[in-house]
Amino acid sequence: MGIREIWSNLGSIMASIMFVYAMYEKFFPPALRRYLRKYTHKFTNFMYPYIKITFYEKSGDNLKHNKTYTTIQTYLSANSSQRARRLKAEVIKDSQNPLVLSMDDNQEITDEFNGVKVWWSANHITSRTQSFSIYPSSDEKRFLTLTFHKRHRELITTSYIQHVLEQGKAITMKNRQLKIYTNNPSNDWFRYRSTKWSHTTFEHPASFETLALEPKKKEEILNDLVKFKKGKEYYAKVGKAWKRGYLLFGPPGTGKSTMISAIANFMNYDVYDLELTIVKDNNELKRLLIETSSKSIIVIEDIDCSLDLTGQRKKKKEKDDVENDEKKDPIKKAEKEEKNESKVTLSGLLNFIDGIWSACGSERIIIFTTNFVDKLDPALIRRGRMDKHIEMSYCSYQAFKVLARNYLDVEFHDDLFPIIEKLLEETNMTPADVAENLMPKSITEDFESCLKNLIQSLEIAKKKDEEEAKKKIEDEEVKLKAEKEKLELAQEEEKVKADEKLEENVKENGVKENGVIH
């Protein structure tokens, strides 16, 4: 059969179809046509073995952006869009990968779940609305369609869609740009477009690989963090809010802030740096807590300096005297209120950490830092509130080797490393001071010069420590000598007083017995 005959037959078939359709439209009344279309549709659905689920980009009466649509689109972009022939590029805000490729409109890709094959397609509908404008506006609706065989209905609707949403959220969290927040004063909360927290991009490069810490302690902290991150079901089982408290304590310069940054990068959590001194009362503290997100770290640095949270209470008499003075002098009371703006109490902070309000979010880490752990109230740092206490101490030899690798790309030096190891055992120097000595100050300095600078600083610090120790011993000796002299003087005075008293008794006894004074 030639091509001319094929086209001739095709033309005859099309003419026949058009004739039949014309007869159908002419001789079948509208009611009968509706009846036939209804049962034709039912028959088609019965014979068609596939089910379609549609996810619209915008939903609701106000046509707000549908988060489910975005989550599914993220999943498809990461898992299946590489198989699409046409892609579209979109700029995603606050993401480590700002340019994301996804399948273009009218494209279809396949996915597989537990051996079941499904099809995803991206579609859009454009309908022009009636308008008096010269340029009529268009109403565009975008949607994703999921197609699957009807015998897999239960698996797809109960497991697969949930899997897609969870994976999409996980990918979003992984690719998002971390932020660091700070709380605004409550006076600014109600201004136009103001928020309780201000934020900026968190770009601290700290990691556990570059953290100057003993390997054993580092591994212990990492294991604890991993256990916490995977502990959703466990915390639900034991009936506790999914949160964990860390207390970082030690001298200044031992890396407490760097530790927080390393934890944030490892866990992929945002950081909320809470400044207690500008929080007026416990109620504001709760409202700030509500505004924090899950998968975040709430930090209160130098908590011993933020507020008087030692737990000590004034005696009732002293408190009453102060209140009476304030009543007599209103100016003094106003000055005190202006000076002490924050009325956050220890009880309010304890409720913030592990009270009822602490369960308003999940997967949170609360970190306190302090240079003087003894100043804190035991109720604030007990286990259950600050679950893990981490001492950030002076630089050890193992921590020094990490710093040498970070700053100088040196793993070992036969001559200088043993000297440094011995000096670090004899001298207290913080990791910050060690790092400062290891950092090259000019382009001419090599790693040996930096190591020698460190040795020199350690020797100076050692000599200073020895002098201070010697001076302390001398001061103790002087103090003991002064106390001894004071004691001898007191004993001498007591002896003189005893002699005088004895002499008076003798005189009094002589008068009574003989009537005369001897």
Side-chain angles (χ1 to χ4, degrees):
M1 183 180 293
I3 296 176
R4 183 175 296 178
E5 294 179 358
I6 293 174
W7 279 107
S8 176
N9 293 335
L10 182 61
S12 300
I13 293 171
M14 292 298 297
S16 300
I17 292 173
M18 293 298 295
F19 176 76
V20 172
Y21 181 75
M23 294 297 102
Y24 168 79
E25 288 287 330
K26 184 175 181 180
F27 295 104
F28 282 76
L32 182 59
R33 289 202 301 268
R34 286 195 297 270
Y35 185 81
L36 288 174
R37 279 197 299 267
K38 176 181 176 181
Y39 282 93
T40 302
H41 184 67
K42 286 184 177 181
F43 177 76
T44 304
N45 289 339
F46 178 76
M47 297 299 294
Y48 187 70
Y50 294 99
I51 296 175
K52 295 180 182 289
I53 301 177
T54 302
F55 301 89
Y56 288 97
E57 181 183 21
K58 296 180 180 180
S59 61
D61 296 335
N62 298 326
L63 294 179
K64 293 183 178 179
H65 198 83
N66 189 357
K67 293 182 179 180
T68 302
Y69 176 91
T70 306
T71 304
I72 296 173
Q73 195 176 42
T74 302
Y75 169 82
L76 296 176
S77 299
N79 292 278
S80 305
S81 291
Q82 60 269 25
R83 294 190 288 273
R85 290 182 178 273
R86 291 201 315 272
L87 299 172
K88 62 180 179 180
E90 294 180 300
V91 177
I92 305 298
K93 188 179 178 182
D94 298 330
S95 174
Q96 294 181 12
N97 302 317
L99 191 64
V100 176
L101 299 177
S102 59
M103 60 176 175
D104 200 359
D105 293 333
N106 302 319
Q107 285 286 290
E108 184 178 88
I109 56 177
T110 59
D111 193 18
E112 191 171 319
F113 179 74
N114 291 346
V116 176
K117 192 175 183 181
V118 299
W119 294 266
W120 286 96
S121 61
N123 307 281
H124 77 283
I125 298 174
T126 303
S127 59
R128 297 193 175 275
T129 57
Q130 296 294 328
S131 174
F132 294 103
S133 173
I134 300 175
Y135 305 100
S137 60
S138 62
D139 184 16
E140 188 175 62
K141 293 182 179 180
R142 295 183 179 275
F143 56 93
L144 295 169
T145 303
L146 170 63
T147 305
F148 55 93
H149 200 281
K150 62 182 180 182
R151 65 170 172 264
H152 304 303
R153 183 188 192 114
E154 184 176 356
L155 175 68
I156 299 302
T157 55
T158 58
S159 300
Y160 175 69
I161 294 178
Q162 186 65 28
H163 163 77
V164 169
L165 295 177
E166 290 176 357
Q167 290 294 313
K169 290 177 182 178
I171 294 168
T172 302
M173 290 296 296
K174 183 180 179 181
N175 293 335
R176 71 189 177 122
Q177 185 70 54
L178 295 184
K179 298 184 180 67
I180 181 168
Y181 294 80
T182 184
N183 52 306
N184 298 320
S186 58
N187 297 334
D188 299 336
W189 288 3
F190 304 103
R191 295 180 180 177
Y192 176 67
R193 300 185 67 179
S194 62
T195 58
K196 295 179 178 64
W197 296 91
S198 297
H199 72 270
T200 187
T201 303
F202 182 76
E203 296 179 329
H204 201 292
S207 66
F208 277 91
E209 287 76 15
T210 60
L211 197 63
L213 201 65
E214 292 80 359
K216 186 177 179 181
K217 183 178 287 188
K218 191 183 297 186
E219 184 180 0
E220 179 186 343
I221 297 170
L222 283 170
N223 289 338
D224 191 82
L225 291 170
V226 172
K227 179 69 175 176
F228 170 76
K229 196 167 188 176
K230 297 180 179 179
K232 181 178 181 180
E233 295 180 359
Y234 176 78
Y235 278 86
K237 175 185 173 184
V238 299
K240 289 185 64 176
W242 191 9
K243 63 179 183 58
R244 191 154 179 80
Y246 286 80
L247 175 67
L248 308 182
F249 65 96
T254 51
K256 294 184 286 293
S257 298
T258 306
M259 169 69 80
I260 294 171
S261 300
I263 292 174
N265 287 325
F266 178 76
M267 301 292 283
N268 199 35
Y269 285 0
D270 290 330
V271 178
Y272 288 84
D273 185 14
L274 178 61
E275 179 56 57
L276 282 178
T277 55
I278 63 172
V279 182
K280 285 188 176 180
D281 51 35
N282 296 334
N283 185 47
E284 284 190 5
L285 191 61
K286 293 175 185 176
R287 296 175 71 179
L288 285 169
L289 176 64
I290 294 172
E291 293 294 324
T292 61
S293 63
S294 298
K295 296 182 182 292
S296 62
I297 301 174
I298 301 174
V299 179
I300 304 179
E301 292 198 272
D302 297 322
I303 190 170
D304 54 302
C305 303
S306 297
L307 295 173
D308 183 14
L309 300 171
T310 59
Q312 297 175 353
R313 300 291 185 269
K314 293 182 178 180
K315 294 180 181 179
K316 187 176 186 303
K317 185 177 182 304
E318 293 178 357
K319 189 175 180 181
D320 292 341
D321 292 341
V322 171
E323 290 178 354
N324 290 332
D325 292 341
E326 290 177 354
K327 288 180 181 179
K328 294 177 183 178
D329 191 353
I331 298 177
K332 185 177 180 181
K333 182 179 179 181
E335 290 177 351
K336 182 181 178 182
E337 289 180 351
E338 184 177 356
K339 184 179 178 181
N340 301 320
E341 292 183 357
S342 179
K343 295 181 181 178
V344 175
T345 64
L346 177 64
S347 174
L349 187 59
L350 296 182
N351 288 329
F352 175 85
I353 299 170
D354 69 345
I356 297 175
W357 286 92
S358 67
C360 65
S362 62
E363 203 172 348
R364 283 199 187 102
I365 294 176
I366 301 173
I367 299 180
F368 291 167
T369 71
T370 180
N371 297 332
F372 307 100
V373 68
D374 296 334
K375 290 185 178 181
L376 299 179
D377 192 288
L380 185 64
I381 60 175
R382 69 163 175 81
R383 308 292 177 173
R385 291 190 174 116
M386 293 294 104
D387 305 284
K388 192 169 185 61
H389 295 187
I390 303 173
E391 182 178 6
M392 308 295 292
S393 188
Y394 293 102
C395 189
S396 65
Y397 178 63
Q398 295 295 331
F400 155 74
K401 290 199 295 185
V402 175
L403 292 172
R405 186 171 62 250
N406 293 342
Y407 286 84
L408 303 174
D409 293 325
V410 176
E411 295 290 341
F412 190 74
H413 192 283
D414 295 335
D415 298 329
L416 302 180
F417 268 45
I419 299 173
I420 294 173
E421 181 179 7
K422 186 173 184 298
L423 287 171
L424 285 173
E425 292 174 354
E426 300 170 347
T427 310
N428 289 333
M429 181 175 282
T430 64
D433 290 332
V434 172
E436 181 61 27
N437 283 283
L438 292 178
M439 184 178 293
K441 305 300 186 298
S442 67
I443 59 175
T444 59
E445 275 192 316
D446 58 5
F447 72 92
E448 287 189 354
S449 300
C450 295
L451 292 175
K452 289 176 181 178
N453 290 338
L454 175 60
I455 292 174
Q456 185 179 0
S457 297
L458 286 169
E459 288 174 344
I460 294 172
K462 180 183 177 182
K463 185 178 180 181
K464 184 179 179 181
D465 290 344
E466 290 174 350
E467 290 176 354
E468 289 179 354
K470 184 179 179 181
K471 186 176 184 299
K472 187 176 180 181
I473 293 173
E474 291 175 353
D475 292 342
E476 288 292 333
E477 290 177 351
V478 171
K479 186 178 179 181
L480 290 173
K481 185 177 179 181
E483 290 179 353
K484 184 179 180 182
E485 291 176 353
K486 186 177 180 181
L487 181 62
E488 290 175 353
L489 181 62
Q491 290 175 348
E492 188 67 28
E493 290 177 355
E494 288 292 333
K495 185 178 180 182
V496 171
K497 288 181 181 179
D499 291 343
E500 290 177 353
K501 188 174 182 180
L502 180 61
E503 185 178 352
E504 290 177 1
N505 289 337
V506 170
K507 290 179 180 180
E508 290 178 2
N509 290 337
V511 171
K512 290 181 180 179
E513 292 177 0
N514 303 322
V516 294
I517 299 176
H518 298 284

